[in-house]
Structures are given as C-alpha cells and as structure tokens.
Amino acid sequence: SQQGEEDPQALSIQEGENATMNCSYKTSINNLQWYRQNSGRGLVHLILIRSNEREKHSGRLRVTLDTSKKSSSLLITASRAADTASYFCATVGDTGANSKLTFGKGITLSVRP
Amino acid sequence: ETGVTQTPRHLVMGMTNKKSLKCEQHLGHNAMYWYKQSAKKPLELMFVYNFKEQTENNSVPSRFSPECPNSSHLFLHLHTLQPEDSALYLCASSQAVRGGSDTQYFGPGTRLTVL
C-alpha cells in the first residue's frame, strides 16, 4: 500500500511555536497533498506538492518532499490556537493501480493559547 | 464553506431501518466520492463517480448503495446496517478523476450511529 503514515500521532505546542509534522509513504508518487480537519468537520485541502517539487509555501505553511526518502513534512510557523485540528497527508501514486488519493491516519495538533 | 453540502449532519438509525445520505456540490465538478471515517483508522474510500458513472467500488458491502443522478448530487442509501458501520461519512468532489491529481473538496460529513 502507498498509504501515508504521519508522525507523530499527536502534537501539543504553545501558541507562537512552530509545528512540524511528518509523513512517510511506501511507493512512488505523482503528488502528495496535506489536508486539515477540524473536529467533526470535513477535510480542507491545504497544499499539493508534485513529485518533481522539493518545497512549497502557502502563507504560514511550508511543505517539503524528499522522494528519495519517500517522506514529506508540513511546517506551520507561528502557530495559533485556531490551528488546532487533525492534519492528514494523502498520496497519489504514479501508476494506474495506485492513482487514487490515499490518506494516512492523521496527526492531532493541539495549540495551547 | 467548501461548496459541498451534506444532509443530514447527524443520523441515528436502527439496524432494520432504511435511510439515505445526500451530498450536493456547487462547484461545477464532475467527480464525486464517498468516504468512511472511523476512529483511529485512515479515511476509507468507498465509491467514486466520474461524469455520473461509477468508476470505483472499493469492496463495499451491498448494504451501502450509492446513486449519482447527475454530476452535482450523490446519495448513499443505507439498509440493514450493522453497529460497526457507525462512522463519519464524508462526501467529496473534484474537477474530474484524473489519476487522483485533482484537489478534493469535502463536505462537513454525516455522523451516523447505528444502534
């Protein structure tokens, strides 16, 4: 399975600190996406990084991709209490059989005011 | 709001009931998806529709029956469910199913409890 696995499973930080979340996957990918889910709500797309990209930024978010290590990281800088949510990485494989979006179990981030 | 709505938001049903979940997207997308989210498990893809045609059924039991009358609406008909079917059911849409590369937009989900 190419399913992404996030690490750590849970993260608790103080407001203003940076939060780093990691994702590892098993097979080669076309792209990797990060999503956020507030409690009891649907997922919201944050950022997509393609296999030929190494880093992308969006506001306070920074995503890196290392295809040689089959891993990605999501960095949230200057965290806020409103960033408290679950974060999921999802991968899209580069072959027909693995071309659907496959999610990991998620990371629970708590940002203390 | 993501442009994808789901009703009802909460549903409690007995194992002998028949109910339906509804999803509507206002984004002009051509692909729609049903996912099941259970505690401590990865999001499970159930069904995919592309231009109203079902393109994926991820070995879902027949007690779940999807219907896609047009590209904007998706239903999930439920009958004789089991308690382990209790979960958050999420609907999503995207421009089209093109190798999964498109960003998916999710609805808020229906929290289903089967007694």
Side-chain angles (χ1 to χ4, degrees), chain B residues 26-77:
Chain B
H26 310 273
L27 301 168
H29 289 164
N30 293 305
M32 297 188 78
Y33 311 78
W34 278 117
Y35 288 89
K36 176 183 177 183
Q37 186 177 34
S38 304
K40 312 246 186 253
K41 284 187 175 181
L43 210 60
E44 298 173 54
L45 178 66
M46 299 175 73
F47 301 104
V48 181
Y49 278 82
N50 198 29
F51 292 92
K52 301 188 300 178
E53 299 297 320
Q54 188 180 120
T55 57
E56 182 139 0
N57 175 338
N58 208 18
S59 302
V60 180
S62 59
R63 57 186 184 271
F64 295 91
S65 174
E67 179 190 359
C68 188
N70 55 61
S71 292
S72 299
H73 294 86
L74 185 65
F75 296 89
L76 187 63
H77 304 300

Side-chain angles (χ1 to χ4, degrees), chain A residues 27-75:
Chain A
T27 60
S28 58
I29 60 169
N30 174 287
N31 67 77
L32 184 145
Q33 304 177 29
W34 284 92
Y35 287 78
R36 184 181 94 175
Q37 183 180 33
N38 288 82
S39 180
R41 306 285 298 182
L43 280 70
V44 175
H45 179 261
L46 295 176
I47 200 162
L48 181 154
I49 186 165
R50 301 192 185 281
S51 59
N52 61 352
E53 297 175 310
R54 292 294 166 258
E55 188 171 313
K56 280 188 89 167
H57 297 255
S58 176
R60 293 184 295 113
L61 305 181
R62 173 178 166 246
V63 168
T64 61
L65 179 65
D66 186 335
T67 52
S68 66
K69 294 181 180 177
K70 292 186 170 58
S71 67
S72 172
S73 67
L74 171 66
L75 170 68

